Amino acid sequence: MINVPVRAAAAVLIAFTLAACSGKPAADKSAEATANAPEEKVLNVYNWSDYIEPGVIAAFTKETGIKVNYDVFDSNEMLETKLLAGNTGYDLVVPSGSFLYRQIKAGVHSTLDKSQLSNLGNADPAIAGRVAKAFDTDNAHSVNYMWGTSGVGYNVKKIKERMPNAPVDSFAMFYDPKIVSKFADCGVMLLDAPSEVLGTVLIYLGKDANSEKPEDLAAAEKVLLSVRKYIRNFNSSAYIEALANGEACLALGWSGDVLQAKSRAESAKNGVEISYNVPKEGAVMFFDQLAIPKDAKHPKNAHLFINYLLRADVAAKNSNFIQYANGNAASKSMIDASVTGNPNVYPSEAMMQKLVPDLPESPEFNRLLTRSWTRVKTGQ
Ligand code: N2P
């Protein structure tokens, strides 16, 4: 975990004390006036790709008159690079908890004004509690949007043809060279998400998914290099379509993404059958959080949008379409039984115990991981 340097904390405290003691200067009043001024009817959102029901944005615009400019990304690293550079122009972003944690430490995100979030009572206390404990104390800066796991996404027929007794509920599908080699010809893909993928290898090795021991990283890298030649590419978005159209037969993918591939194949009636399993060894869990960058130009609109996403019917509409579990308890009864009843989306209590959250890395370990990941991806 990252510690705020004592000196920086002291500086913040001094600045805060000075501000508090100085009364309310004219500049503050004008800042208040700006804060109370109506915002232009625009909202700039930066979310993960394939992560919202397509009608939700239009419905929000219809209801509020706010035009939404909606951009997408497929990696926390991409989002974080932009956030740390500043002036992204985005009013609402969706980092995963482990990244959100360090972004909060870096002062990137606003504290939410909960008085503008009347639907916050719909939030699932179990999910909010996990987030508060690991990433965002008191849920001060973020609201959970969706959460899920990374696991085995596969083409049922192609895997069976190549290995009738394939262990489709195990990370051995990817990390045992004797097994993954059988699927190299039909297309194997791994997520391009270093810390989550590392966590899966560590779980496979029987180690702590969040270990920062250099020897554990070395052991995981060895496994990844031993299977590297069987992996077609590392990708965190295009694999949905590749699974759906039969170009890939096996992917270490995120729960809802793989299930969207399944739905796409069913709609295309192309004979492709896709399935997703949370591995029996356990899995790495992510929490994707709605947050407002401090330099957002439209923070009120961002609060309005968060509050809209917190509506039970809207959260249900999203989960029904993207097939991820959401952080909204009130929506659960409105979500299709095929989603809530799927233990690979809403895992059983026993499986929940085996899920390990992806936790923030220290900056030192992050540097080691980035170098290791480059070696794995380039196969050297
Ligand atoms: C959406 C993927 C979001 C899950 N396509 C990873 N945080």
Side-chain angles (χ1 to χ4, degrees):
M1 301 281 267
I2 308 160
N3 288 316
V4 182
V6 174
R7 235 184 308 168
V12 170
L13 188 64
I14 291 166
F16 184 78
T17 312
L18 286 176
C21 294
S22 64
K24 194 170 239 233
D28 270 5
K29 283 195 186 128
S30 75
E32 199 172 275
T34 315
N36 290 331
E39 282 174 9
E40 57 174 339
K41 296 239 164 209
V42 171
L43 176 69
N44 299 314
V45 175
Y46 197 37
N47 192 7
W48 293 84
S49 48
D50 300 293
Y51 219 30
I52 197 161
E53 197 269 349
V56 163
I57 291 172
F60 173 75
T61 300
K62 195 166 169 212
E63 197 169 303
T64 60
I66 295 169
K67 177 180 182 287
V68 179
N69 298 311
Y70 191 85
D71 287 347
V72 296
F73 59 89
D74 70 357
S75 87
N76 273 303
E77 286 77 3
M78 199 184 302
L79 167 61
E80 185 158 283
T81 302
K82 290 193 183 191
L83 286 173
L84 295 179
N87 291 316
T88 61
Y90 293 119
D91 302 307
L92 183 80
V93 295
V94 194
S96 302
S98 50
F99 285 74
L100 173 87
Y101 175 89
R102 58 198 198 203
Q103 290 158 13
I104 292 171
K105 296 283 171 231
V108 165
H109 296 296
S110 297
T111 303
L112 296 177
D113 176 0
K114 295 189 180 173
S115 71
Q116 295 180 51
L117 300 174
S118 56
N119 296 328
L120 208 47
N122 291 341
D124 184 335
I127 298 297
R130 278 182 182 240
V131 169
K133 196 168 158 213
F135 313 115
D136 180 17
T137 310
D138 296 332
N139 304 108
H141 304 82
S142 70
V143 170
N144 181 256
Y145 179 52
M146 300 281 157
W147 57 275
T149 51
S150 40
V152 187
Y154 64 103
N155 179 313
V156 175
K157 191 162 147 241
K158 290 193 176 178
I159 296 300
K160 204 172 192 172
E161 276 166 10
R162 286 161 179 79
M163 190 179 184
N165 61 346
V168 290
D169 62 347
S170 168
F171 283 126
M173 289 292 282
F174 306 102
Y175 303 139
D176 181 340
K178 287 197 294 301
I179 295 174
V180 66
S181 56
K182 296 189 194 301
F183 311 124
D185 73 301
C186 60
V188 181
M189 293 179 163
L190 294 193
L191 288 170
D192 190 1
S195 79
E196 284 173 73
V197 175
L198 169 67
T200 66
V201 184
L202 291 174
I203 290 174
Y204 175 67
L205 292 173
K207 298 179 188 293
D208 170 12
N210 290 296
S211 168
E212 294 205 349
K213 289 184 192 154
E215 62 270 29
D216 288 349
L217 176 63
E221 182 177 325
K222 200 169 161 205
V223 169
L224 286 167
L225 287 173
S226 76
V227 296
R228 177 64 187 90
K229 58 176 173 290
Y230 308 120
I231 292 160
R232 189 178 290 168
N233 63 32
F234 293 78
N235 175 277
S236 301
S237 48
Y239 73 96
I240 302 180
E241 196 49 36
L243 279 175
N245 65 24
E247 274 171 27
C249 63
L250 179 62
L252 175 71
W254 286 308
S255 39
D257 283 8
V258 176
L259 293 166
Q260 286 179 62
K262 177 182 168 70
S263 298
R264 283 189 205 177
E266 282 163 7
S267 306
K269 298 194 176 32
N270 61 3
V272 170
E273 188 193 342
I274 300 297
S275 196
Y276 175 79
N277 286 329
V278 174
K280 64 174 184 225
E281 296 92 348
V284 176
M285 195 181 190
F286 64 80
F287 298 84
D288 289 339
Q289 299 294 118
L290 303 164
I292 304 176
K294 268 191 189 151
D295 57 6
K297 299 275 187 306
H298 311 100
K300 282 189 210 154
N301 295 345
H303 279 88
L304 270 177
F305 191 58
I306 293 177
N307 207 39
Y308 186 75
L309 295 175
L310 274 167
R311 257 172 52 179
D313 61 320
V314 175
K317 209 193 260 188
N318 278 330
S319 280
N320 280 332
F321 187 84
I322 64 176
Q323 299 181 66
Y324 279 96
N326 65 41
N328 191 301
S331 73
K332 203 161 176 194
S333 61
M334 296 178 218
I335 302 175
D336 297 341
S338 61
V339 178
T340 47
N342 182 342
N344 292 299
V345 179
Y346 281 91
S348 65
E349 226 5 83
M351 179 49 89
M352 278 301 257
Q353 301 308 318
K354 286 200 200 171
L355 302 183
V356 187
D358 182 40
L359 295 177
E361 283 99 31
S362 66
E364 299 72 36
F365 186 76
N366 199 39
R367 274 192 286 279
L368 293 179
L369 174 59
T370 304
R371 277 187 231 131
S372 168
W373 192 244
T374 305
R375 286 191 294 271
V376 167
K377 285 213 292 183
T378 56
Q380 280 152 19

